[in-house]
Amino acid sequence: MRQPRKAGIKPGESGATPVVRYFLSGILRCNRCHRGLVGHRHKQRRTGIIIRNYECPPSDRGGCGGTPISAPTADLAVEEVPLPGPPPRPPLPRARSCSASRCRTRSAITRSSRSAWTS
């Protein structure tokens, strides 16, 4: 049996809504029950405007159902926080100086390597 098409959607076109990502889900915390807030969206009946919020999960999912926070406001506040720069590099180890009796000079090294090749 054929399913009826939705009005205004041609065959082959997707009727899916765009994916909205809530980057702070699980990071923001409820001030009552301390559970991670999750992204939620709903449409206002009068105006038809889509409202995006971070909300505490309902009580049947382990939360309290409270603490709505505006998603655009929270996302913007986090974007404005400066990130720390890269950690400072540790200083390079200094070359150990050695006395002439323990170390060979460069000319002595080159002379010994030449004599090894010539013999």
Side-chain angles (χ1 to χ4, degrees), residues 17-22 41 50 52:
T17 57
V19 175
V20 178
R21 301 201 188 280
Y22 294 88
R41 69 182 226 168
I50 294 175
R52 294 177 52 232

Side-chain angles (χ1 to χ4, degrees), residues 23-43:
F23 296 107
L24 299 176
S25 286
I27 298 173
L28 297 176
R29 296 287 171 181
C30 176
N31 60 356
R32 287 191 222 163
C33 65
H34 306 289
R35 291 279 306 213
L37 301 181
V38 294
H40 178 76
R41 69 182 226 168
H42 65 277
K43 188 184 284 190

Side-chain angles (χ1 to χ4, degrees), residues 9-93:
I9 297 177
K10 298 176 183 174
E13 288 184 359
S14 173
T17 57
V19 175
V20 178
R21 301 201 188 280
Y22 294 88
F23 296 107
L24 299 176
S25 286
I27 298 173
L28 297 176
R29 296 287 171 181
C30 176
N31 60 356
R32 287 191 222 163
C33 65
H34 306 289
R35 291 279 306 213
L37 301 181
V38 294
H40 178 76
R41 69 182 226 168
H42 65 277
K43 188 184 284 190
Q44 286 185 340
R45 290 184 186 177
R46 290 185 190 155
T47 60
I49 296 173
I50 294 175
I51 305 296
R52 294 177 52 232
N53 288 329
Y54 290 102
E55 296 178 353
C56 187
S59 58
D60 62 339
R61 293 188 182 166
C64 67
T67 316
I69 298 174
S70 170
T73 305
D75 293 341
L76 185 61
V78 170
E79 286 178 9
E80 291 177 355
V81 174
L83 294 175
R89 296 178 119 188
L92 295 174

